[in-house]
Amino acid sequence: HGFIPLTTYLRTYKLGDYVDIKVNGAVHKGMPHKWYQGKTGRVWNVTKRAIGVEVNKRVGGRYLSKRIHVRVEHVQPSRCREEFLKRRASNDAARAAAKASGDKAPSTKRIPKGPREGFTLSLENTKIETITAIPYDIIKEGLQ
């Protein structure tokens, strides 16, 4: 599997960070169970070589909070909060600009994308064509 980049070991994790569990097959130590592959959790403990990750696991009909220790080679920072943080920053900037200009604070709620606009299909200057399947003849086409 090759060389592991140094950023894997030099990255700083803090309590509360979101991380993705992504198993590196080149390192067998500290490898999580296969169920945790691809799951996202929060850091609850940081040790010398490992990260304590809290993951919600569905068992039967309920969700249990599982706390596991995973070596840093099998963990990467999650991008799950990027959109939220960007949206929060833009909302705060819009609110501050409205306050500075004396306007009412703008609505910062996300609005779902509505249905597409309707249109009328014109059949003028359009030639209508009927399409049928060509029958398959095994004698002519199959024995070449």
Side-chain angles (χ1 to χ4, degrees), residues 77-89:
S78 181
R79 299 180 61 195
C80 66
R81 282 178 61 85
E82 275 183 6
E83 183 195 351
F84 164 72
L85 294 173
K86 191 167 76 172
R87 196 175 74 244
R88 186 175 68 181

Side-chain angles (χ1 to χ4, degrees), residues 91 94-99 103-109:
N91 288 348
R95 210 175 285 119
K99 189 174 184 182
D103 295 337
K104 186 181 172 187
S107 176
T108 55
K109 291 184 177 181

Side-chain angles (χ1 to χ4, degrees), residues 16-87:
D17 286 353
Y18 283 91
V19 292
D20 295 331
I21 298 172
K22 188 175 174 186
V23 175
N24 183 351
V27 181
H28 291 177
K29 278 190 159 191
M31 191 182 277
H33 187 267
K34 64 184 178 183
W35 186 89
Y36 296 101
Q37 166 68 20
K39 299 291 186 275
T40 300
R42 287 186 90 164
V43 175
W44 64 275
N45 189 19
V46 179
T47 61
K48 189 163 50 170
R49 292 184 189 87
I51 305 292
V53 182
E54 190 171 33
V55 183
N56 290 328
K57 182 176 182 179
R58 187 169 176 221
V59 181
R62 64 200 191 280
Y63 283 90
L64 297 178
S65 182
K66 305 285 279 189
R67 287 183 159 196
I68 59 170
H69 279 93
V70 183
R71 269 176 95 110
V72 290
E73 293 94 333
H74 308 296
V75 157
Q76 67 185 25
S78 181
R79 299 180 61 195
C80 66
R81 282 178 61 85
E82 275 183 6
E83 183 195 351
F84 164 72
L85 294 173
K86 191 167 76 172
R87 196 175 74 244

